[in-house]
Amino acid sequence: MAIPLELNGLEKTYPGGQQALRGLDLSVKRGEVFGFLGPNGAGKTTTIKILLGFCQPTAGTARVCGGDPANPDTRRSLGYLPEVADYYGFLSAPELLAFYGRLCGMTRVDLGERIPATLEKVGLADVGKKRIGTFSKGMKQRVGLAQALLHDPAILILDEPLSGLDPLGRRQVRNIICELRNEGKTVFFSSHELSEAEMIADRVAILKNGRVRQQGPIAEIAGDGEANLERIFLEAIESEGENDGDTV
């Protein structure tokens, strides 16, 4: 059975010589929650863009369930929550999900079943016909999570999934992510919320200047009661070494 997400020797250099990724190797197992951590400019966004087929690497390979992310059939196995999503404000949440569901090829019958269930799952069962333009940031984040879950993908790529949520919303999203893991789905998420990552991730990778500085099971990296994830993160990104330059 193919590995859900696999990166081998991944490099990306943008026009002008800006190098975003420098030989990135990463493998995410089926049914695990994987935290992709790093400061701004570490290369997290570029990695996610390549996994989604939005851009091509300069060298190396990226595989989603063994396939090329640039292939639309491969991307059908993915659900994606962007960090900042500007949804159509004049639509209601059910209307927005119906729009995205049709783009995914879902039937009217499937949408009729999945939309109410998905909205209930993310805590938006009672929004009715309220326009998305009137939603709070946290509510928009939940709508984004709903569209990522709607077509029941095998792999979820979540970019800062806890951004803008209050404590109750964060707990709800954590619970959803744990439920997805229990269902055998793979969750790959980037985050600056280290304490949240420590609570839900099975494994993490800490990225700096396009290279993985440290990775492994969360229990090994931050499980001794003293070497918590925040301290390990800061040690990894502040460690002395070669000057790699800024990345994206």
Side-chain angles (χ1 to χ4, degrees):
M1 189 173 293
I3 298 171
L5 298 175
E6 189 171 23
L7 308 175
N8 291 307
L10 203 65
E11 298 184 8
K12 178 63 179 179
T13 301
Y14 288 104
Q18 187 179 29
Q19 192 169 8
L21 298 175
R22 307 162 188 264
L24 184 63
D25 294 315
L26 206 63
S27 179
V28 181
K29 302 174 185 177
R30 188 173 305 277
E32 80 170 339
V33 176
F34 193 96
F36 196 47
L37 312 177
N40 291 333
K44 302 190 304 297
T45 297
T46 295
T47 303
I48 288 175
K49 286 181 178 179
I50 291 173
L51 285 172
L52 295 169
F54 292 168
C55 68
Q56 294 296 309
T58 306
T61 60
R63 291 290 179 264
V64 174
C65 293
D68 185 348
N71 187 325
D73 289 335
T74 299
R75 292 200 299 268
R76 292 182 189 280
S77 63
L78 296 174
Y80 171 51
L81 171 67
E83 180 179 3
V84 179
D86 190 14
Y87 299 114
Y88 300 113
F90 58 87
L91 294 178
S92 66
E95 289 170 341
L96 184 79
L97 295 188
F99 171 73
Y100 278 107
R102 288 193 295 270
L103 289 178
C104 292
M106 297 179 68
T107 67
R108 187 181 298 273
V109 172
D110 287 340
L111 289 171
E113 296 175 353
R114 289 287 299 170
I115 288 175
T118 305
L119 288 175
E120 182 173 2
K121 192 179 190 72
V122 301
L124 293 176
D126 299 327
V127 296
K129 296 182 178 180
K130 186 177 180 180
R131 301 303 172 191
I132 293 173
T134 66
F135 283 11
S136 67
K137 182 179 180 181
M139 291 175 69
K140 289 179 180 178
Q141 190 78 347
R142 296 187 196 194
V143 170
L145 185 57
Q147 65 80 23
L149 293 170
L150 182 65
H151 63 294
D152 195 27
I155 303 167
L156 278 300
I157 296 180
L158 311 178
D159 195 355
E160 297 288 348
L162 301 165
S163 176
L165 296 178
D166 58 24
L168 181 60
R170 290 185 182 211
R171 185 179 67 181
Q172 190 168 29
V173 171
R174 287 200 306 268
N175 290 341
I176 291 171
I177 291 174
C178 291
E179 288 174 11
L180 293 170
R181 174 174 51 202
N182 293 338
E183 294 169 7
K185 298 187 184 299
T186 301
V187 181
F188 179 89
F189 73 95
S190 70
S191 181
H192 292 92
E193 301 288 346
L194 301 181
S195 61
E196 298 288 348
E198 195 166 358
M199 281 191 278
I200 60 176
D202 298 305
R203 289 193 299 138
V204 297
I206 299 174
L207 198 69
K208 179 188 177 185
N209 292 333
R211 290 192 175 100
V212 172
R213 300 299 185 180
Q214 189 162 358
Q215 69 172 307
I218 194 72
E220 293 181 8
I221 291 180
D224 63 2
E226 295 180 2
N228 58 67
L229 184 56
E230 182 175 9
R231 187 169 73 83
I232 295 296
F233 176 86
L234 292 173
E235 288 176 355
I237 66 172
E238 293 175 352
S239 60
E240 295 182 1
E242 74 278 13
N243 183 8
D244 296 325
D246 292 333
T247 57
V248 179

Tab-separated table of all heavy atoms in Angstrom, residues 92-102 106-128 142-143 145-147 149-152:
chain	number	residue	atom	x	y	z
A	92	SER	N	-24.231	31.197	1.836
A	92	SER	CA	-24.360	30.567	3.148
A	92	SER	C	-23.389	29.394	3.203
A	92	SER	O	-22.834	28.964	2.178
A	92	SER	CB	-25.784	30.073	3.372
A	92	SER	OG	-26.086	29.012	2.469
A	93	ALA	N	-23.184	28.849	4.393
A	93	ALA	CA	-22.278	27.711	4.536
A	93	ALA	C	-22.743	26.505	3.705
A	93	ALA	O	-21.930	25.899	2.992
A	93	ALA	CB	-22.122	27.338	6.006
A	94	PRO	N	-24.040	26.130	3.740
A	94	PRO	CA	-24.474	25.012	2.896
A	94	PRO	C	-24.279	25.292	1.410
A	94	PRO	O	-23.914	24.387	0.647
A	94	PRO	CB	-25.961	24.864	3.242
A	94	PRO	CG	-26.085	25.412	4.625
A	94	PRO	CD	-25.121	26.559	4.663
A	95	GLU	N	-24.517	26.531	0.981
A	95	GLU	CA	-24.331	26.867	-0.434
A	95	GLU	C	-22.865	26.756	-0.837
A	95	GLU	O	-22.532	26.269	-1.926
A	95	GLU	CB	-24.848	28.280	-0.711
A	95	GLU	CG	-26.362	28.399	-0.658
A	95	GLU	CD	-26.841	29.841	-0.687
A	95	GLU	OE1	-26.031	30.749	-0.382
A	95	GLU	OE2	-28.029	30.061	-0.994
A	96	LEU	N	-21.969	27.206	0.059
A	96	LEU	CA	-20.542	27.123	-0.248
A	96	LEU	C	-20.098	25.663	-0.361
A	96	LEU	O	-19.358	25.293	-1.286
A	96	LEU	CB	-19.732	27.822	0.836
A	96	LEU	CG	-18.225	27.870	0.558
A	96	LEU	CD1	-17.904	28.973	-0.441
A	96	LEU	CD2	-17.431	28.078	1.839
A	97	LEU	N	-20.560	24.832	0.566
A	97	LEU	CA	-20.180	23.419	0.523
A	97	LEU	C	-20.751	22.735	-0.721
A	97	LEU	O	-20.089	21.878	-1.319
A	97	LEU	CB	-20.644	22.705	1.785
A	97	LEU	CG	-19.991	23.149	3.092
A	97	LEU	CD1	-20.404	22.227	4.235
A	97	LEU	CD2	-18.476	23.188	2.975
A	98	ALA	N	-21.957	23.114	-1.118
A	98	ALA	CA	-22.533	22.550	-2.338
A	98	ALA	C	-21.688	22.923	-3.558
A	98	ALA	O	-21.451	22.103	-4.454
A	98	ALA	CB	-23.966	23.047	-2.519
A	99	PHE	N	-21.197	24.158	-3.573
A	99	PHE	CA	-20.341	24.620	-4.672
A	99	PHE	C	-19.058	23.795	-4.738
A	99	PHE	O	-18.687	23.266	-5.795
A	99	PHE	CB	-20.029	26.105	-4.479
A	99	PHE	CG	-18.984	26.650	-5.407
A	99	PHE	CD1	-19.276	26.867	-6.744
A	99	PHE	CD2	-17.716	26.943	-4.949
A	99	PHE	CE1	-18.313	27.363	-7.609
A	99	PHE	CE2	-16.747	27.440	-5.801
A	99	PHE	CZ	-17.043	27.656	-7.136
A	100	TYR	N	-18.380	23.651	-3.602
A	100	TYR	CA	-17.133	22.893	-3.581
A	100	TYR	C	-17.387	21.407	-3.844
A	100	TYR	O	-16.579	20.735	-4.495
A	100	TYR	CB	-16.421	23.076	-2.246
A	100	TYR	CG	-15.610	24.342	-2.174
A	100	TYR	CD1	-16.038	25.425	-1.410
A	100	TYR	CD2	-14.413	24.469	-2.871
A	100	TYR	CE1	-15.303	26.602	-1.349
A	100	TYR	CE2	-13.671	25.636	-2.813
A	100	TYR	CZ	-14.115	26.699	-2.056
A	100	TYR	OH	-13.379	27.862	-2.002
A	101	GLY	N	-18.502	20.904	-3.332
A	101	GLY	CA	-18.819	19.499	-3.568
A	101	GLY	C	-19.027	19.191	-5.030
A	101	GLY	O	-18.569	18.158	-5.534
A	102	ARG	N	-19.687	20.094	-5.746
A	102	ARG	CA	-19.891	19.879	-7.179
A	102	ARG	C	-18.557	19.924	-7.925
A	102	ARG	O	-18.348	19.188	-8.892
A	102	ARG	CB	-20.861	20.918	-7.736
A	102	ARG	CG	-22.314	20.688	-7.300
A	102	ARG	CD	-23.280	21.521	-8.111
A	102	ARG	NE	-23.097	22.957	-7.884
A	102	ARG	CZ	-23.722	23.651	-6.939
A	102	ARG	NH1	-24.572	23.033	-6.126
A	102	ARG	NH2	-23.522	24.945	-6.805
A	106	MET	N	-19.163	15.458	-6.605
A	106	MET	CA	-20.139	14.809	-5.747
A	106	MET	C	-21.538	14.945	-6.329
A	106	MET	O	-21.876	15.960	-6.944
A	106	MET	CB	-20.088	15.420	-4.344
A	106	MET	CG	-18.765	15.223	-3.633
A	106	MET	SD	-18.711	15.982	-1.972
A	106	MET	CE	-19.886	14.933	-1.092
A	107	THR	N	-22.359	13.923	-6.134
A	107	THR	CA	-23.724	13.947	-6.641
A	107	THR	C	-24.632	14.749	-5.707
A	107	THR	O	-24.282	15.020	-4.552
A	107	THR	CB	-24.277	12.528	-6.768
A	107	THR	OG1	-24.419	11.963	-5.451
A	107	THR	CG2	-23.361	11.651	-7.602
A	108	ARG	N	-25.796	15.104	-6.211
A	108	ARG	CA	-26.760	15.841	-5.394
A	108	ARG	C	-27.176	15.027	-4.164
A	108	ARG	O	-27.348	15.571	-3.076
A	108	ARG	CB	-27.995	16.193	-6.241
A	108	ARG	CG	-28.997	17.103	-5.540
A	108	ARG	CD	-30.186	17.376	-6.448
A	108	ARG	NE	-29.766	18.069	-7.651
A	108	ARG	CZ	-29.656	19.395	-7.749
A	108	ARG	NH1	-29.911	20.148	-6.695
A	108	ARG	NH2	-29.295	19.950	-8.879
A	109	VAL	N	-27.315	13.711	-4.345
A	109	VAL	CA	-27.694	12.847	-3.229
A	109	VAL	C	-26.590	12.841	-2.167
A	109	VAL	O	-26.862	12.973	-0.967
A	109	VAL	CB	-27.976	11.417	-3.719
A	109	VAL	CG1	-28.186	10.474	-2.519
A	109	VAL	CG2	-29.197	11.402	-4.617
A	110	ASP	N	-25.356	12.701	-2.626
A	110	ASP	CA	-24.230	12.700	-1.689
A	110	ASP	C	-24.160	14.020	-0.935
A	110	ASP	O	-23.926	14.048	0.286
A	110	ASP	CB	-22.917	12.466	-2.432
A	110	ASP	CG	-22.770	11.033	-2.907
A	110	ASP	OD1	-23.455	10.150	-2.361
A	110	ASP	OD2	-21.956	10.795	-3.825
A	111	LEU	N	-24.334	15.127	-1.646
A	111	LEU	CA	-24.269	16.441	-1.010
A	111	LEU	C	-25.383	16.595	0.021
A	111	LEU	O	-25.168	17.178	1.092
A	111	LEU	CB	-24.368	17.542	-2.060
A	111	LEU	CG	-23.148	17.711	-2.968
A	111	LEU	CD1	-23.451	18.686	-4.105
A	111	LEU	CD2	-21.953	18.200	-2.165
A	112	GLY	N	-26.556	16.079	-0.303
A	112	GLY	CA	-27.678	16.176	0.625
A	112	GLY	C	-27.408	15.468	1.936
A	112	GLY	O	-27.933	15.861	2.989
A	113	GLU	N	-26.600	14.419	1.889
A	113	GLU	CA	-26.253	13.683	3.099
A	113	GLU	C	-25.033	14.269	3.803
A	113	GLU	O	-25.005	14.393	5.029
A	113	GLU	CB	-25.979	12.214	2.742
A	113	GLU	CG	-27.192	11.470	2.204
A	113	GLU	CD	-26.848	10.059	1.762
A	113	GLU	OE1	-25.634	9.718	1.753
A	113	GLU	OE2	-27.767	9.300	1.422
A	114	ARG	N	-24.022	14.621	3.019
A	114	ARG	CA	-22.743	15.023	3.589
A	114	ARG	C	-22.737	16.440	4.158
A	114	ARG	O	-22.071	16.704	5.167
A	114	ARG	CB	-21.645	14.905	2.526
A	114	ARG	CG	-21.262	13.483	2.152
A	114	ARG	CD	-20.472	12.803	3.245
A	114	ARG	NE	-19.213	13.504	3.520
A	114	ARG	CZ	-18.435	13.242	4.548
A	114	ARG	NH1	-18.778	12.309	5.424
A	114	ARG	NH2	-17.308	13.906	4.737
A	115	ILE	N	-23.459	17.370	3.525
A	115	ILE	CA	-23.388	18.761	3.981
A	115	ILE	C	-23.883	18.920	5.418
A	115	ILE	O	-23.173	19.487	6.260
A	115	ILE	CB	-24.135	19.696	3.009
A	115	ILE	CG1	-23.333	19.829	1.707
A	115	ILE	CG2	-24.349	21.081	3.629
A	115	ILE	CD1	-24.030	20.621	0.625
A	116	PRO	N	-25.086	18.449	5.763
A	116	PRO	CA	-25.532	18.609	7.163
A	116	PRO	C	-24.608	17.900	8.154
A	116	PRO	O	-24.309	18.439	9.228
A	116	PRO	CB	-26.930	17.978	7.161
A	116	PRO	CG	-27.367	17.999	5.739
A	116	PRO	CD	-26.122	17.807	4.933
A	117	ALA	N	-24.149	16.697	7.793
A	117	ALA	CA	-23.296	15.938	8.699
A	117	ALA	C	-21.955	16.636	8.914
A	117	ALA	O	-21.426	16.676	10.027
A	117	ALA	CB	-23.069	14.529	8.145
A	118	THR	N	-21.419	17.219	7.843
A	118	THR	CA	-20.117	17.879	7.947
A	118	THR	C	-20.228	19.178	8.735
A	118	THR	O	-19.353	19.493	9.560
A	118	THR	CB	-19.544	18.157	6.545
A	118	THR	OG1	-19.487	16.941	5.797
A	118	THR	CG2	-18.142	18.735	6.635
A	119	LEU	N	-21.285	19.940	8.510
A	119	LEU	CA	-21.482	21.171	9.276
A	119	LEU	C	-21.669	20.873	10.761
A	119	LEU	O	-21.170	21.610	11.618
A	119	LEU	CB	-22.680	21.948	8.730
A	119	LEU	CG	-22.478	22.627	7.379
A	119	LEU	CD1	-23.781	23.248	6.892
A	119	LEU	CD2	-21.385	23.691	7.469
A	120	GLU	N	-22.367	19.804	11.063
A	120	GLU	CA	-22.527	19.419	12.469
A	120	GLU	C	-21.178	19.018	13.064
A	120	GLU	O	-20.869	19.365	14.214
A	120	GLU	CB	-23.511	18.264	12.589
A	120	GLU	CG	-23.775	17.847	14.033
A	120	GLU	CD	-24.873	16.804	14.151
A	120	GLU	OE1	-25.411	16.372	13.114
A	120	GLU	OE2	-25.182	16.421	15.303
A	121	LYS	N	-20.357	18.346	12.291
A	121	LYS	CA	-19.055	17.880	12.756
A	121	LYS	C	-18.160	19.046	13.161
A	121	LYS	O	-17.394	18.951	14.128
A	121	LYS	CB	-18.384	17.062	11.652
A	121	LYS	CG	-17.154	16.277	12.082
A	121	LYS	CD	-16.584	15.487	10.919
A	121	LYS	CE	-15.514	14.516	11.353
A	121	LYS	NZ	-16.029	13.352	12.086
A	122	VAL	N	-18.252	20.169	12.431
A	122	VAL	CA	-17.389	21.326	12.724
A	122	VAL	C	-18.087	22.368	13.599
A	122	VAL	O	-17.556	23.459	13.815
A	122	VAL	CB	-16.878	21.979	11.427
A	122	VAL	CG1	-16.089	20.986	10.601
A	122	VAL	CG2	-18.012	22.591	10.614
A	123	GLY	N	-19.265	22.053	14.097
A	123	GLY	CA	-19.944	22.957	15.014
A	123	GLY	C	-20.698	24.090	14.356
A	123	GLY	O	-20.906	25.147	14.969
A	124	LEU	N	-21.150	23.891	13.117
A	124	LEU	CA	-21.886	24.935	12.395
A	124	LEU	C	-23.271	24.453	11.967
A	124	LEU	O	-23.831	24.949	10.993
A	124	LEU	CB	-21.099	25.395	11.156
A	124	LEU	CG	-19.786	26.132	11.415
A	124	LEU	CD1	-19.096	26.438	10.091
A	124	LEU	CD2	-20.024	27.424	12.198
A	125	ALA	N	-23.817	23.521	12.718
A	125	ALA	CA	-25.111	22.957	12.329
A	125	ALA	C	-26.238	23.976	12.385
A	125	ALA	O	-27.247	23.838	11.685
A	125	ALA	CB	-25.450	21.772	13.226
A	126	ASP	N	-26.077	25.030	13.184
A	126	ASP	CA	-27.182	25.974	13.401
A	126	ASP	C	-27.040	27.284	12.636
A	126	ASP	O	-27.800	28.222	12.894
A	126	ASP	CB	-27.301	26.285	14.900
A	126	ASP	CG	-27.604	25.038	15.721
A	126	ASP	OD1	-28.296	24.138	15.204
A	126	ASP	OD2	-27.135	24.966	16.874
A	127	VAL	N	-26.094	27.372	11.700
A	127	VAL	CA	-25.896	28.660	11.014
A	127	VAL	C	-26.973	28.946	9.974
A	127	VAL	O	-27.193	30.099	9.599
A	127	VAL	CB	-24.504	28.731	10.355
A	127	VAL	CG1	-23.415	28.690	11.393
A	127	VAL	CG2	-24.317	27.619	9.324
A	128	GLY	N	-27.653	27.904	9.510
A	128	GLY	CA	-28.743	28.101	8.571
A	128	GLY	C	-28.324	28.849	7.316
A	128	GLY	O	-27.317	28.514	6.685
A	142	ARG	N	-13.914	27.324	10.551
A	142	ARG	CA	-14.688	26.081	10.610
A	142	ARG	C	-15.318	25.752	9.263
A	142	ARG	O	-15.405	24.582	8.877
A	142	ARG	CB	-15.772	26.185	11.680
A	142	ARG	CG	-15.220	26.347	13.085
A	142	ARG	CD	-16.330	26.282	14.106
A	142	ARG	NE	-15.900	26.789	15.404
A	142	ARG	CZ	-16.574	26.609	16.517
A	142	ARG	NH1	-17.710	25.945	16.501
A	142	ARG	NH2	-16.126	27.105	17.656
A	143	VAL	N	-15.765	26.776	8.538
A	143	VAL	CA	-16.278	26.541	7.188
A	143	VAL	C	-15.181	25.960	6.306
A	143	VAL	O	-15.407	25.031	5.520
A	143	VAL	CB	-16.818	27.853	6.567
A	143	VAL	CG1	-17.115	27.665	5.083
A	143	VAL	CG2	-18.087	28.288	7.275
A	145	LEU	N	-12.647	24.184	7.267
A	145	LEU	CA	-12.441	22.793	7.660
A	145	LEU	C	-13.551	21.905	7.090
A	145	LEU	O	-13.294	20.782	6.644
A	145	LEU	CB	-12.397	22.692	9.185
A	145	LEU	CG	-12.074	21.326	9.783
A	145	LEU	CD1	-10.738	20.801	9.277
A	145	LEU	CD2	-12.067	21.405	11.311
A	146	ALA	N	-14.763	22.427	7.067
A	146	ALA	CA	-15.885	21.658	6.513
A	146	ALA	C	-15.675	21.357	5.030
A	146	ALA	O	-15.920	20.234	4.573
A	146	ALA	CB	-17.190	22.423	6.718
A	147	GLN	N	-15.212	22.350	4.253
A	147	GLN	CA	-15.012	22.089	2.824
A	147	GLN	C	-13.874	21.097	2.603
A	147	GLN	O	-13.882	20.333	1.637
A	147	GLN	CB	-14.793	23.395	2.044
A	147	GLN	CG	-13.544	24.196	2.344
A	147	GLN	CD	-12.294	23.671	1.675
A	147	GLN	OE1	-12.387	22.986	0.665
A	147	GLN	NE2	-11.135	23.980	2.229
A	149	LEU	N	-13.257	18.564	4.564
A	149	LEU	CA	-13.749	17.248	4.983
A	149	LEU	C	-14.885	16.721	4.111
A	149	LEU	O	-15.178	15.520	4.148
A	149	LEU	CB	-14.259	17.326	6.433
A	149	LEU	CG	-13.224	17.589	7.528
A	149	LEU	CD1	-13.932	17.887	8.844
A	149	LEU	CD2	-12.316	16.386	7.685
A	150	LEU	N	-15.515	17.600	3.354
A	150	LEU	CA	-16.796	17.285	2.712
A	150	LEU	C	-16.751	16.021	1.865
A	150	LEU	O	-17.653	15.175	1.955
A	150	LEU	CB	-17.247	18.471	1.859
A	150	LEU	CG	-18.596	18.320	1.154
A	150	LEU	CD1	-19.725	18.231	2.185
A	150	LEU	CD2	-18.834	19.478	0.199
A	151	HIS	N	-15.737	15.851	1.031
A	151	HIS	CA	-15.699	14.711	0.105
A	151	HIS	C	-15.031	13.480	0.713
A	151	HIS	O	-14.704	12.527	0.001
A	151	HIS	CB	-15.014	15.100	-1.211
A	151	HIS	CG	-13.568	15.490	-1.069
A	151	HIS	ND1	-13.166	16.614	-0.385
A	151	HIS	CD2	-12.437	14.903	-1.532
A	151	HIS	CE1	-11.839	16.700	-0.446
A	151	HIS	NE2	-11.379	15.677	-1.123
A	152	ASP	N	-14.836	13.499	2.041
A	152	ASP	CA	-14.322	12.357	2.778
A	152	ASP	C	-12.959	11.899	2.253
A	152	ASP	O	-12.776	10.725	1.894
A	152	ASP	CB	-15.319	11.194	2.718
A	152	ASP	CG	-15.024	10.115	3.762
A	152	ASP	OD1	-14.442	10.456	4.805
A	152	ASP	OD2	-15.374	8.944	3.512
